[in-house]
Amino acid sequence: MLIALGLITLPHSQHLPLPLFLFFVVLWTWRFIAIWKPEWLPGKITVFLLMLAAIGLLYSQHQGVLGRAGGTSLFVVALGLKLLEIRGTRDIYLIVFLGFIVAATEFLYQQNIVMAIYIVLVCIFLLATLITINGLHAKISPTLKKAGIIVLQAMPIAAIIFVLFPRIEAPHFKWLDAEKNQVTGLSDTLEPGAISELGLSPELVFRVKFDGDIPPPDERYWRGPVFTYTDGKRWRESPNRFFKRYMDTPRFKGKAYHYTLLMEPQNKPWVFALEMPAHFEAPLQRNSFYQLITTKDPTQRAEYKITSYTHFNTGYLTKTELKDTLQLPGKPSERIVKLVKQLGGFDLKPEQFIANLFNYFRQENFFYTLMPKKMENKPIETFLFERRYGFCSHYATAFVYLMRVADIPARVIGGYQGGELNEAGNFLEVRQANAHAWAEVWLHDKGWSRFDPTTAIAPERVEQTLDIEQQIATRTLTIVTPEVLHQSMDWLKQAKQVLGSVDYSWQRWIINYNRTSQQGIFKHLGIKDLKTIIYWLLVLVGTVTLILARFILKNKAQPVDPAVKLYRQFCQKIPDVTLNPGEAPYRFAARCRQAHPKQAETIDRIIQLFVKIRYYPNSPKETLEQLKKQVDHFSCT
Amino acid sequence: MNETVLSLKQRFALSRFIHGEKPVKGALTLNQRRIFILPTRQGGGFIVLILLLLLIALTYNNNLIYLLAFMLASVFFITILHTYQSLAGLVIKPLQTQAAFAGEKAGFGFNIQNPSDQARFDIQLKLETETLLDIPPHHHEKVLLFKSANKRGVLQAGTLTVSSCYPLGLFRAWSPLRFKLEALVYPAPAAVFSAFPESEGFEGENGQSKKGGDDFYGLQQYQPGDPIRQIHWKSYAKGQGLFSKHYGGNAVADLWLDYAQTLGHDVEQRLSHLCRWLIEAEKAGLRYGLILPNQKIPCRSGPEHQRACLEALALF
């Protein structure tokens, strides 16, 4: 039991305040030692003092016992204290119950599948503890087996209740608000010059499951914040987010992509839709930059159904947009004006100028790197004329800056690009390392159009799948072609994808199961009100119980010994003499002999054979055959 | 076996849950008709635990805690079946009883058989005393349970409660059983020993001193019932067979314990005295007989005889 309790508390070490966790460990160790040295157990006074110490600790760490962390600590400490005074079975029950609660609080911190399996195993241990107190046997493996069987049998019913139990939107208690998870993500400012090393993390940002085709890699742009305002170094979002555009929808063309987006917890309410989102449902909203924003708490995992078109025309330009997207921090330097002039920025059509600029990036000595040197002073000029090593943000900001100098409305878009296809689950996984920045230019007949200057310098970055692991390991951009990717799908990768797929389903169906998904299922089943829910619950649970009852309660039909069968046949063959219940074979034989003296010899032989088979173990098989022959041939007439 | 059909009213009579059905003679198999299940106090605690978990799940909107709570609820539910299973199919058969003097405890023997393939754990049998046992598959156990005998006469076994909380202790399954099983209760021996009565042919002499007389009469072939202390061990050791020493005046040493000669105000007191005499006489190795108003047991000695006499007293 102690081991089980230790196992329960172990994962809490990650988030409990250290002093509290150590306190528990000390109490636990104390109790463990006391198994061999019971006299070391503390007396009443010591326990009382320890309790005071515990209360003190709780208050010093949490200023109270409400809320997630405080409550968890309370239960852990209570468990530790209770361990020291086990007197009767009641105390053991209390401890086991506390153990269950501590196990449950674990889910407040971690909800992955591994943790769930872990907790189930620990629960089996706890139930085994209960079995040990109730059975007189103390052997571990049969009790564990029994507990495992019980849990296994409980699972189907649990699943049914899980699906059908009505979910109520939880009242929001302010004091119970979970502390903000530390989630990394895109920042709301962009300052490429200040970064010397791009943080690459394989952390998942969202997963996308398409209802039909998956867009090709070079169209997988997941739109995030739009950076319009710049002071020359840093780029920020425009404060005007809901101007006239807000109500407009672009004209969409081409193929529609329907997909489900499962966002991992974020600290910003941004939802990264495929450019351009056309249809979406509440709680999503679209701001004037065509960025989707959720009105719900982004720190909770959430699922959205969105339809996007990769070809679109946003049409006219509003005044606010014009003002915002031509904004420059003071006059551009001569070098820059010269460059723009050289590339035809002031006389050629915007498209031509952009093409020239792309060529410029391609032909001059520009390089893509994830480890650029810091460019703190005049970052754009330094990048364009001196360093020429940079990543997507450098290229995008420089590009937009040059556009604005040429009086072309342009802005920087942040978001994610690409995503790895999980073949096991057929969905895209987009990770932090897929973060990207590109540019958007307003063109007369096309509206806002995407231009990704990074493609000029590292087209693979966009067109093919990013090998994130390689990239993180070597800090260089590693691109694999699809064919190579396919070949390199060794078992490790495959296993990873299968795991990823399992995790996706886990998140989608278990963690994220909520009122909405429940109502979807209810609609399917034709459930409308509470009454029907209860009806369904009763019927389903009842059915499963019946099946289980049959399974648990069936008295395994005792295999009838073939010898006994033959013996009964024989008994029926004798007229006038019926076998009394519980009558010994020899006694029966004696009565038969009296009734049928002629057959006495045969009867004796049969009875002897039967007794031999039945009561002497390891009698040879031939004896049974002999008996069969004798019984078959036997007749009283 | 031993099954009768119950009417609906009988089926739900409260006494059935506590005292069991009408007593029966033979073995009883525990089945759904006789096994009752209710949650224990721990079971109640378990429900509170589940509610608490649901509350946590609700406030934090945490599906995994919901799932854990539902799993524990299902475990709770499934345990009903398991607890039922721990009793179902057991066959209980009454065995012999042990008589007792009033004020002591009479013993009732039971045989509990597990005909199934599964071992049964933590089976509690309770009469007045209780015992816990585990029964391996296809085994049977004999238990002797006691019940206080307060009154002389016949003591009914009453309700034997077979129960089990296995496996989790959240439920208790119990089955009250009544058998036609009765033990004899002898009268309590009187605390004060009054002198043996004088009987005819005793010639006014005290039986106690008479018995002690050295008037050795001779050896006789041993007969069952002869007091052990009169066995002539020397001849037995020599291999000559078993002989009893017979003392002079043996023929007249017969002690008649007569109801009419006892002291006491009422029947019970008189029987108590008789009981004490019987015990003392047997201890002393005398030949004694019993005279009751309705019965006369001729003079003999030995445990068999004593029991016959005590039974007569018990049933008087």
XYZ file of all heavy atoms in Angstrom, chain B residues 178-245:
538
model
N -31.581 -20.568 8.735
C -32.083 -21.251 9.929
C -32.201 -22.730 9.648
O -32.759 -23.143 8.635
C -33.430 -20.647 10.332
C -33.227 -19.297 10.984
C -34.351 -18.974 11.918
N -35.525 -18.541 11.186
C -36.696 -18.339 11.769
N -36.853 -18.586 13.063
N -37.716 -17.931 11.061
N -31.657 -23.499 10.547
C -31.706 -24.940 10.392
C -32.513 -25.531 11.543
O -32.586 -24.948 12.620
C -30.300 -25.528 10.423
C -29.461 -25.101 9.268
C -28.532 -24.088 9.411
C -29.614 -25.688 8.026
C -27.762 -23.681 8.346
C -28.840 -25.288 6.959
C -27.907 -24.290 7.118
N -33.055 -26.712 11.289
C -33.688 -27.431 12.395
C -32.563 -28.135 13.133
O -32.284 -29.301 12.941
C -34.687 -28.447 11.850
C -35.979 -27.800 11.449
C -37.051 -28.808 11.191
C -38.321 -28.118 10.777
N -38.934 -28.710 9.584
N -31.923 -27.398 13.939
C -30.746 -27.920 14.612
C -30.870 -27.489 16.057
O -31.025 -26.314 16.357
C -29.497 -27.311 13.982
C -28.174 -27.809 14.501
C -28.026 -29.280 14.183
C -27.034 -27.028 13.858
N -30.891 -28.487 16.928
C -31.066 -28.096 18.313
C -30.069 -28.801 19.213
O -29.664 -29.939 18.960
C -32.487 -28.349 18.770
C -33.076 -29.613 18.249
C -34.595 -29.604 18.315
O -35.203 -28.552 18.017
O -35.145 -30.642 18.685
N -29.680 -28.110 20.255
C -28.739 -28.668 21.225
C -29.480 -28.811 22.549
O -30.407 -28.056 22.841
C -27.559 -27.735 21.390
N -29.059 -29.817 23.308
C -29.682 -30.014 24.616
C -28.992 -29.121 25.628
O -27.781 -28.942 25.584
C -29.519 -31.471 25.048
C -30.511 -32.444 24.405
C -30.200 -33.838 24.880
C -31.940 -32.046 24.743
N -29.797 -28.592 26.523
C -29.212 -27.802 27.596
C -29.554 -28.501 28.902
O -30.722 -28.664 29.256
C -29.761 -26.373 27.588
C -29.103 -25.578 28.693
C -29.528 -25.738 26.239
N -28.511 -28.966 29.575
C -28.719 -29.633 30.857
C -28.944 -28.562 31.902
O -28.505 -27.416 31.730
C -27.486 -30.453 31.242
C -27.012 -31.390 30.160
C -25.647 -31.544 29.903
C -27.917 -32.134 29.398
C -25.202 -32.400 28.927
C -27.469 -32.998 28.414
C -26.110 -33.122 28.180
O -25.665 -33.972 27.208
N -29.575 -28.966 32.998
C -29.717 -27.967 34.067
C -28.351 -27.578 34.609
O -27.410 -28.379 34.552
C -30.556 -28.666 35.120
C -30.630 -30.090 34.723
C -30.205 -30.232 33.305
N -28.268 -26.369 35.100
C -26.992 -25.957 35.674
C -26.767 -26.743 36.962
O -27.693 -26.873 37.763
C -27.040 -24.468 35.965
N -25.587 -27.293 37.167
C -25.350 -28.040 38.412
C -25.466 -27.081 39.599
O -25.001 -25.954 39.537
C -23.921 -28.537 38.273
C -23.525 -28.261 36.881
C -24.423 -27.211 36.333
N -26.099 -27.560 40.656
C -26.263 -26.712 41.837
C -24.904 -26.340 42.395
O -23.949 -27.121 42.333
C -27.067 -27.446 42.893
N -24.814 -25.136 42.878
C -23.531 -24.660 43.385
C -23.156 -25.392 44.677
O -21.983 -25.689 44.919
C -23.609 -23.160 43.630
N -24.162 -25.703 45.465
C -23.897 -26.376 46.746
C -24.112 -27.860 46.557
O -25.102 -28.298 45.970
C -24.866 -25.859 47.827
C -24.399 -26.294 49.194
C -25.026 -24.355 47.712
N -23.151 -28.593 47.036
C -23.296 -30.045 46.915
C -23.944 -30.563 48.185
O -23.390 -30.439 49.277
C -21.929 -30.680 46.706
C -21.987 -32.178 46.719
C -22.660 -32.857 45.691
C -21.400 -32.906 47.731
C -22.707 -34.236 45.696
C -21.445 -34.287 47.720
C -22.101 -34.959 46.702
N -25.118 -31.092 48.022
C -25.751 -31.703 49.199
C -25.427 -33.183 49.164
O -25.156 -33.751 48.118
C -27.250 -31.449 49.151
O -27.739 -31.771 47.870
N -25.452 -33.750 50.326
C -25.055 -35.163 50.434
C -25.946 -36.025 49.568
O -27.102 -35.698 49.320
C -25.149 -35.595 51.904
N -25.346 -37.159 49.085
C -26.135 -38.103 48.286
C -27.291 -38.603 49.110
O -27.189 -38.754 50.335
C -25.260 -39.289 47.866
C -24.354 -38.947 46.728
C -22.991 -39.186 46.830
C -24.873 -38.419 45.562
C -22.154 -38.891 45.778
C -24.019 -38.119 44.509
C -22.662 -38.363 44.616
N -28.366 -38.855 48.476
C -29.517 -39.352 49.234
C -29.274 -40.798 49.685
O -28.441 -41.514 49.116
C -30.642 -39.267 48.214
C -29.966 -39.417 46.899
C -28.613 -38.793 47.047
N -29.976 -41.221 50.716
C -29.879 -42.617 51.151
C -30.937 -43.395 50.435
O -32.087 -42.974 50.350
C -30.116 -42.696 52.663
C -29.078 -41.905 53.420
C -29.484 -41.722 54.881
O -30.530 -42.274 55.276
O -28.760 -41.014 55.567
N -30.486 -44.482 49.871
C -31.485 -45.265 49.144
C -31.661 -46.606 49.812
O -30.858 -47.004 50.660
C -31.045 -45.419 47.701
O -29.705 -45.861 47.662
N -32.689 -47.323 49.399
C -32.937 -48.633 50.004
C -31.721 -49.489 49.799
O -31.060 -49.412 48.775
C -34.159 -49.312 49.355
C -35.330 -48.422 49.049
C -35.354 -47.972 47.603
O -35.390 -48.829 46.726
O -35.290 -46.741 47.365
N -31.469 -50.342 50.770
C -30.338 -51.244 50.652
C -29.045 -50.520 50.897
O -27.969 -51.074 50.731
N -29.107 -49.339 51.305
C -27.892 -48.605 51.545
C -27.549 -48.608 53.022
O -26.457 -48.229 53.407
C -28.089 -47.145 51.048
C -26.884 -46.616 50.370
C -26.472 -47.167 49.169
C -26.136 -45.596 50.941
C -25.354 -46.676 48.546
C -25.007 -45.127 50.317
C -24.614 -45.652 49.113
N -28.475 -49.000 53.782
C -28.353 -49.223 55.225
C -27.768 -48.027 55.948
O -26.836 -48.126 56.743
C -27.560 -50.498 55.522
C -28.484 -51.702 55.644
C -28.014 -52.869 54.796
O -26.802 -52.985 54.644
O -28.847 -53.585 54.255
N -28.312 -46.953 55.617
C -28.016 -45.747 56.388
C -26.607 -45.253 56.272
O -26.233 -44.246 56.853
N -25.821 -45.970 55.511
C -24.428 -45.509 55.433
C -24.243 -44.551 54.263
O -24.881 -44.671 53.238
C -23.501 -46.709 55.277
C -23.152 -47.311 56.607
C -22.197 -48.469 56.423
O -21.002 -48.186 56.344
O -22.670 -49.599 56.317
N -23.355 -43.707 54.448
C -23.075 -42.724 53.395
C -22.402 -43.394 52.212
O -21.471 -44.170 52.365
C -22.144 -41.648 53.977
C -22.041 -40.480 53.028
O -21.769 -40.696 51.865
N -22.264 -39.288 53.537
N -22.907 -43.159 51.070
C -22.358 -43.789 49.856
C -20.892 -43.485 49.671
O -20.117 -44.337 49.238
N -20.529 -42.343 50.064
C -19.150 -41.919 49.856
C -18.199 -42.827 50.629
O -17.232 -43.346 50.074
C -19.001 -40.474 50.359
C -17.824 -39.730 49.808
C -18.063 -39.298 48.359
O -19.107 -39.636 47.746
N -17.103 -38.599 47.791
N -18.511 -43.034 51.883
C -17.613 -43.854 52.704
C -17.728 -45.314 52.296
O -16.759 -46.049 52.339
C -17.951 -43.675 54.184
O -19.243 -44.218 54.418
N -18.905 -45.681 51.889
C -19.094 -47.078 51.507
C -18.182 -47.416 50.331
O -17.536 -48.445 50.293
C -20.560 -47.270 51.091
C -20.964 -48.699 50.891
C -21.081 -49.417 52.217
C -21.073 -50.941 51.997
N -20.751 -51.639 53.258
N -18.183 -46.566 49.416
C -17.383 -46.788 48.207
C -15.907 -46.928 48.562
O -15.195 -47.753 48.004
C -17.580 -45.614 47.250
C -16.794 -45.718 45.999
C -16.039 -44.443 45.713
C -14.591 -44.783 45.414
N -13.692 -43.874 46.002
N -15.519 -46.161 49.546
C -14.122 -46.185 49.929
C -13.753 -47.454 50.698
O -12.574 -47.728 50.910
N -14.751 -48.269 51.070
C -14.462 -49.472 51.860
C -13.526 -50.430 51.155
O -13.541 -50.537 49.940
N -12.692 -51.107 51.930
C -11.694 -52.013 51.329
C -12.247 -53.406 51.113
O -11.499 -54.346 50.872
C -10.473 -52.101 52.247
C -9.793 -50.745 52.340
O -9.782 -50.029 51.299
O -9.291 -50.392 53.416
N -13.511 -53.476 51.224
C -14.123 -54.789 51.150
C -14.006 -55.348 49.751
O -14.962 -55.418 48.980
C -15.598 -54.645 51.573
C -16.128 -55.965 52.082
O -15.365 -56.931 52.054
O -17.306 -55.988 52.466
N -12.784 -55.761 49.441
C -12.538 -56.218 48.065
C -13.266 -57.521 47.823
O -13.161 -58.464 48.594
C -11.036 -56.362 47.847
C -10.685 -56.725 46.443
C -10.965 -55.827 45.401
C -10.103 -57.955 46.146
C -10.639 -56.149 44.109
C -9.793 -58.266 44.838
C -10.054 -57.363 43.810
N -13.960 -57.551 46.797
C -14.838 -58.669 46.513
C -14.198 -59.617 45.524
O -14.245 -60.833 45.666
C -16.147 -58.112 45.960
C -17.186 -59.135 45.648
C -17.944 -59.713 46.685
C -17.459 -59.502 44.340
C -18.906 -60.644 46.389
C -18.424 -60.434 44.056
C -19.162 -61.006 45.076
O -20.123 -61.931 44.768
N -13.562 -59.095 44.537
C -12.902 -59.955 43.554
C -12.865 -59.284 42.192
O -13.350 -58.185 42.010
N -12.231 -59.986 41.271
C -12.139 -59.420 39.929
C -13.237 -59.989 39.052
O -13.594 -61.151 39.163
C -10.779 -59.742 39.301
C -9.592 -58.996 39.886
C -8.325 -59.512 39.241
C -9.738 -57.505 39.641
N -13.752 -59.178 38.237
C -14.737 -59.629 37.253
C -14.304 -59.158 35.873
O -13.589 -58.174 35.747
C -16.104 -59.024 37.591
C -16.848 -59.832 38.604
C -18.239 -59.261 38.846
O -18.647 -58.323 38.186
N -18.936 -59.860 39.801
N -14.753 -59.917 34.883
C -14.473 -59.474 33.507
C -14.965 -58.029 33.351
O -16.047 -57.678 33.804
C -15.256 -60.383 32.540
C -14.808 -60.265 31.117
C -13.488 -60.976 30.855
O -13.201 -61.997 31.493
N -12.674 -60.437 29.964
N -14.141 -57.235 32.695
C -14.505 -55.826 32.522
C -15.760 -55.714 31.647
O -15.912 -56.400 30.654
C -13.357 -55.064 31.845
C -13.714 -53.657 31.456
C -13.716 -52.665 32.446
C -14.068 -53.331 30.149
C -14.072 -51.371 32.106
C -14.413 -52.047 29.820
C -14.412 -51.060 30.808
O -14.770 -49.774 30.467
N -16.610 -54.885 32.074
C -17.790 -54.604 31.246
C -17.814 -53.131 30.939
O -17.489 -52.322 31.799
C -19.059 -54.989 32.018
C -19.275 -56.482 32.025
C -20.444 -56.875 32.902
O -20.785 -56.156 33.843
N -21.033 -58.012 32.594
N -18.209 -52.835 29.730
C -18.270 -51.392 29.410
C -19.156 -50.678 30.430
O -20.213 -51.178 30.791
C -18.918 -51.354 28.018
C -18.682 -52.695 27.450
C -18.598 -53.660 28.591
N -18.704 -49.606 30.878
C -19.448 -48.868 31.886
C -18.828 -48.978 33.258
O -19.132 -48.173 34.136
N -17.934 -49.938 33.416
C -17.238 -50.029 34.705
C -16.329 -48.834 34.862
O -15.690 -48.398 33.907
C -16.397 -51.314 34.773
C -17.284 -52.531 35.020
O -18.458 -52.327 35.424
O -16.817 -53.661 34.784
N -16.284 -48.275 36.028
C -15.426 -47.106 36.225
C -13.967 -47.429 35.953
O -13.503 -48.530 36.287
C -15.638 -46.729 37.685
C -16.859 -47.458 38.111
C -17.003 -48.643 37.254
N -13.289 -46.498 35.375
C -11.887 -46.729 34.992
C -11.025 -47.017 36.211
O -10.147 -47.879 36.186
C -11.341 -45.504 34.232
C -11.980 -45.450 32.851
C -9.832 -45.554 34.093
C -11.639 -44.218 32.057
N -11.332 -46.313 37.284
C -10.465 -46.487 38.451
C -10.600 -47.876 39.067
O -9.790 -48.273 39.888
C -10.748 -45.409 39.485
C -12.167 -45.435 40.028
C -12.254 -44.628 41.252
N -12.058 -43.209 40.944
C -12.027 -42.275 41.868
N -12.120 -42.600 43.138
N -11.895 -41.015 41.532
N -11.625 -48.618 38.671
C -11.767 -49.961 39.205
C -11.114 -51.014 38.317
O -11.140 -52.210 38.605
C -13.251 -50.275 39.386
C -13.804 -49.525 40.581
C -15.279 -49.794 40.792
O -15.828 -50.739 40.247
N -15.912 -48.960 41.611
N -10.539 -50.560 37.225
C -9.874 -51.537 36.348
C -8.636 -52.071 37.055
O -7.872 -51.310 37.664
C -9.510 -50.880 35.004
C -10.782 -50.625 34.206
C -8.557 -51.730 34.200
C -10.588 -49.842 32.931
N -8.454 -53.368 36.956
C -7.304 -53.990 37.596
C -6.150 -53.945 36.610
O -5.975 -54.822 35.765
C -7.643 -55.433 37.990
C -6.595 -56.036 38.878
N -5.876 -57.140 38.523
C -6.154 -55.693 40.109
C -5.015 -57.451 39.503
N -5.182 -56.582 40.477
N -5.390 -52.873 36.663
C -4.354 -52.625 35.662
C -3.252 -53.664 35.708
O -2.649 -53.964 34.685
C -3.776 -51.217 35.841
C -4.794 -50.138 35.545
C -5.376 -49.324 36.451
C -5.339 -49.821 34.286
N -6.270 -48.509 35.864
C -6.271 -48.777 34.491
C -5.166 -50.315 32.983
C -7.015 -48.226 33.468
C -5.888 -49.749 31.972
C -6.817 -48.713 32.203
N -3.031 -54.197 36.907
C -1.927 -55.176 37.026
C -2.156 -56.371 36.122
O -1.271 -56.778 35.376
C -1.818 -55.650 38.484
C -0.991 -54.706 39.340
C -0.915 -55.254 40.751
C -0.387 -54.187 41.687
N -0.699 -54.518 43.095
N -3.381 -56.882 36.166
C -3.650 -58.056 35.334
C -3.645 -57.665 33.855
O -3.244 -58.447 33.012
C -4.979 -58.687 35.723
O -6.009 -57.719 35.639
N -4.068 -56.436 33.603
C -4.063 -55.992 32.206
C -2.637 -55.919 31.694
O -2.345 -56.348 30.575
C -4.727 -54.597 32.117
C -4.805 -54.077 30.696
C -5.588 -54.749 29.748
C -4.095 -52.948 30.294
C -5.659 -54.281 28.457
C -4.172 -52.486 28.999
C -4.961 -53.155 28.065
O -5.041 -52.685 26.769
N -1.749 -55.426 32.575
C -0.337 -55.325 32.196
C 0.269 -56.691 31.961
O 1.141 -56.861 31.124
C 0.436 -54.566 33.270
N -0.221 -57.647 32.708
C 0.320 -59.012 32.512
C -0.245 -59.651 31.267
O 0.097 -60.777 30.931
C -0.047 -59.880 33.722
C 0.803 -59.589 34.952
C 0.301 -60.439 36.118
C 0.813 -59.913 37.446
N -0.025 -60.406 38.568
N -1.150 -58.976 30.629
C -1.710 -59.511 29.400
C -2.831 -60.490 29.653
O -3.166 -61.297 28.779
N -3.409 -60.456 30.852
C -4.463 -61.420 31.140
C -5.836 -60.906 30.749
O -6.833 -61.582 30.968
C -4.448 -61.727 32.657
C -3.209 -62.508 33.055
C -3.025 -62.531 34.549
O -3.587 -61.707 35.269
N -2.221 -63.473 35.019
N -5.888 -59.763 30.225
C -7.203 -59.225 29.843
C -7.618 -58.145 30.806
O -6.905 -57.813 31.757
N -8.771 -57.598 30.522
C -9.217 -56.452 31.277
C -10.182 -56.918 32.371
O -11.195 -57.569 32.108
C -9.908 -55.478 30.322
C -9.839 -54.007 30.664
C -8.416 -53.618 30.997
C -10.375 -53.179 29.519
N -9.837 -56.594 33.600
C -10.702 -56.982 34.716
C -11.021 -55.763 35.534
O -10.245 -54.822 35.621
C -10.008 -58.017 35.607
C -9.851 -59.346 34.929
C -8.692 -59.678 34.257
C -10.912 -60.266 34.955
C -8.565 -60.900 33.619
C -10.777 -61.483 34.312
C -9.596 -61.823 33.654
N -12.162 -55.807 36.154
C -12.532 -54.727 37.058
C -12.511 -55.274 38.466
O -12.856 -56.433 38.716
C -13.944 -54.220 36.767
O -14.003 -53.753 35.476
N -12.066 -54.410 39.351
C -12.098 -54.792 40.758
C -13.515 -54.554 41.255
O -14.095 -53.507 40.962
C -11.123 -53.935 41.555
C -9.676 -54.202 41.206
C -8.766 -53.288 41.954
C -8.617 -51.972 41.214
N -7.564 -51.117 41.792
